[in-house]
Amino acid sequence: MTMMRAIHIEDNAEKSLSWLATNKPSPKPGEVLIEVAATAVNRADLVQRTGNYPPPPGASPILGLEASGHVVELGEGVENVEVGDRVCVLLTGGGYAEYVTAPASLLMPIPENLSLIEAASLPEVYFTAWVNLFMEAGAREGDVVMLHAAASGVGTAAIQLCKAFGIEVIATASGSKLDFLEELGADHVVDRREEDFVEVARRVTKDRGVDIILDPVGKDYLDRNINALATRGRLVNIGLLSGRSAELNMGRVLVKRLRVIGSVLRSRSVEEKLEIANDLRERAWPLFDSGKLRPVIHGTMAIERAQQAHELIASNTTIGKVVLTVNEEQ
């Protein structure tokens, strides 16, 4: 069997990451094989590394939820894709490797003004921001949206998407990151350690409340999120950074006619992801060429330094994505 190198999670207390030889995958019908130029780190990778976020059935056990590179082989039945195409793609796993397979239907073209390295930072965050704000919560022009952890990859993508579609943004983050978020387009910024985001939401909206909250924090923010929402507001929970269990005041949910939406991306079917991909290609992807959207990358590291990249993400000091380069010569 043909071999390649990929990141391996060691069976030790530290769950160390090593760049080792493993079997090279082959594309199944409807799939392509991609020679990976770069991948990017997501918090889900850190959780999977600890054993608390196993890949969905049939997914690669190798870390990595996105990648960019060139198509090098087509599976049976693949059309409208050619060997040599520059692509980036959302994955269920396998990105931390020299080669990865992916459904051909989910391939995203790389905007002409972006490099393969930059493009590796796009799929996970733009799919996540788009599906949760625009498809799940129905964001539209004139809405006021609050984004928690707004300096994250998803947060920085969400700010740009909101501004491109005429949506007012309240962004929460630690104080050192607020200037950047304003420069990126946030209309209002909140120091999560020093300010009460509920009071800011009420002041900005003249006591009406915000229309949508995108929250990866979970437990610690639930009660305040409910307080900050307007009548018929939507809370979309996409993470559990502070814990998974909290008391919910159902009275306020009923009286304000709120929607509390739980959302994940990785375990969705290919058909669901294809719907998101098609929407993104049509409505959002052209905005990269016009400059309204751009990748926000904190830094790049060679794939052999994946463990250090995980430590950097865990430090909560980053803004945007950390990209891992696999083959910069592509």
Side-chain angles (χ1 to χ4, degrees), residues 223 226-227 231-232 247-258 260:
D223 189 62
I226 296 300
N227 286 341
T231 298
R232 300 185 69 184
E247 185 173 309
L248 176 62
N249 187 325
M250 287 299 297
R252 276 178 289 170
V253 173
L254 297 178
V255 169
K256 295 169 75 172
R257 289 173 284 154
L258 304 179
V260 179

Side-chain angles (χ1 to χ4, degrees), residues 15-16 41 142 154 187 192 195-196 215 225 233 268 279 325:
K15 300 293 182 181
S16 304
V41 182
V154 171
D187 300 282
R192 64 180 179 86
E195 299 176 88
D196 181 352
D215 178 37
N225 282 337
R268 292 177 188 241
D279 218 22
T325 57

Side-chain angles (χ1 to χ4, degrees), residues 28-76:
K28 299 174 183 176
E31 294 184 340
V32 300
L33 180 68
I34 299 167
E35 184 177 9
V36 177
T39 182
V41 182
N42 293 282
R43 283 195 176 269
D45 301 335
L46 279 64
V47 183
Q48 180 177 334
R49 181 178 163 194
T50 67
N52 293 317
Y53 189 34
S60 170
I62 297 170
L63 297 171
L65 299 179
E66 57 197 327
S68 65
H70 286 105
V71 174
V72 293
E73 186 179 343
L74 307 181
E76 182 183 345

Side-chain angles (χ1 to χ4, degrees), residues 4-299:
M4 69 172 184
R5 290 175 297 175
I7 288 293
H8 175 75
I9 303 173
E10 300 286 356
D11 187 17
N12 55 29
E14 295 78 23
K15 300 293 182 181
S16 304
L17 300 180
S18 301
W19 184 237
L20 301 172
T22 189
N23 294 330
K24 179 181 173 182
S26 297
K28 299 174 183 176
E31 294 184 340
V32 300
L33 180 68
I34 299 167
E35 184 177 9
V36 177
T39 182
V41 182
N42 293 282
R43 283 195 176 269
D45 301 335
L46 279 64
V47 183
Q48 180 177 334
R49 181 178 163 194
T50 67
N52 293 317
Y53 189 34
S60 170
I62 297 170
L63 297 171
L65 299 179
E66 57 197 327
S68 65
H70 286 105
V71 174
V72 293
E73 186 179 343
L74 307 181
E76 182 183 345
V78 172
E79 300 177 348
N80 302 317
V81 179
E82 295 183 4
V83 170
D85 282 354
R86 290 188 345 141
V87 297
C88 58
V89 65
L90 182 74
L91 303 167
T92 54
Y96 288 23
E98 291 181 309
Y99 294 88
V100 67
T101 57
S105 60
L106 296 184
L107 299 179
M108 304 295 287
I110 294 180
E112 291 185 4
N113 59 338
L114 298 185
S115 69
L116 284 167
I117 304 304
E118 291 172 317
S121 71
L122 303 181
E124 178 72 19
V125 296
Y126 277 95
F127 270 74
T128 299
W130 185 265
V131 69
N132 290 302
L133 288 173
F134 294 90
M135 300 175 75
E136 294 283 5
R140 59 188 179 182
E141 185 176 358
D143 280 345
V144 180
V145 170
M146 178 172 285
L147 304 171
H148 292 311
S152 67
V154 171
T156 54
I159 290 171
Q160 295 179 74
L161 285 170
C162 285
K163 298 316 300 174
F165 288 92
I167 296 165
E168 189 171 357
V169 173
I170 303 173
T172 78
S174 55
S176 61
K177 303 174 181 180
L178 300 184
D179 287 346
F180 179 86
L181 299 182
E182 286 188 311
E183 293 171 8
L184 196 60
D187 300 282
H188 317 277
V189 293
V190 182
D191 185 335
R192 64 180 179 86
R193 294 191 178 98
E194 302 294 334
E195 299 176 88
D196 181 352
F197 65 75
V198 178
E199 291 182 1
V200 175
R202 288 173 175 165
R203 182 176 71 248
V204 166
T205 63
K206 297 180 172 57
D207 286 328
R208 183 179 69 87
V210 299
D211 300 288
I212 299 167
I213 297 176
L214 186 63
D215 178 37
V217 177
K219 172 180 174 288
D220 288 353
Y221 280 11
L222 179 60
D223 189 62
R224 284 183 287 164
N225 282 337
I226 296 300
N227 286 341
L229 283 168
T231 298
R232 300 185 69 184
R234 288 85 76 197
L235 168 62
V236 188
N237 272 108
I238 60 171
L240 302 167
L241 291 174
S242 68
R244 62 180 61 203
S245 297
E247 185 173 309
L248 176 62
N249 187 325
M250 287 299 297
R252 276 178 289 170
V253 173
L254 297 178
V255 169
K256 295 169 75 172
R257 289 173 284 154
L258 304 179
R259 291 173 56 201
V260 179
I261 303 165
S263 180
V264 294
L265 180 61
R266 186 181 190 183
S267 59
R268 292 177 188 241
S269 67
V270 172
E271 291 72 23
E272 285 183 281
K273 292 174 182 175
L274 178 58
E275 182 182 1
I276 305 167
N278 288 340
D279 218 22
L280 272 174
R281 288 191 200 101
E282 179 181 349
R283 298 182 61 193
W285 231 241
L287 300 177
F288 285 107
D289 290 328
S290 67
K292 289 185 177 181
L293 300 181
R294 64 180 177 87
V296 177
I297 297 174
H298 183 89

